[in-house]
Amino acid sequence: RAALKEEIARRGLKKLVRANSAGCLDACADGPSIVVYPDGVWYGHVRVEDVPEIVESHLVNGKPVERLRIYR
């Protein structure tokens, strides 16, 4: 979450995007997870190194990162 918050701030997206923490959201088996709302896109097994790609591809350009996507 810290890496995500830092990347959001670095890109000047703080007024548009919020990174909240939550429990496992019934996705514990998928490792560290991110859910992008209102899109309803879930990412699993997310590593710190994946954060810039998620921000650039999905949050900035609207294209989900398929290699990390999990379906719920």
Side-chain angles (χ1 to χ4, degrees), residues 4-19:
L4 181 58
K5 288 181 77 146
E6 288 172 16
E7 188 68 16
I8 289 167
R10 186 180 77 74
R11 300 228 176 207
L13 300 172
K14 285 176 74 171
K15 291 185 179 183
L16 301 171
V17 178
R18 181 170 49 189

Side-chain angles (χ1 to χ4, degrees), residues 26-47:
D26 292 331
C28 294
D30 295 307
S33 301
I34 292 176
V35 184
V36 178
Y37 290 115
D39 302 355
V41 173
W42 290 67
Y43 295 110
H45 304 284
V46 177
R47 300 175 319 204

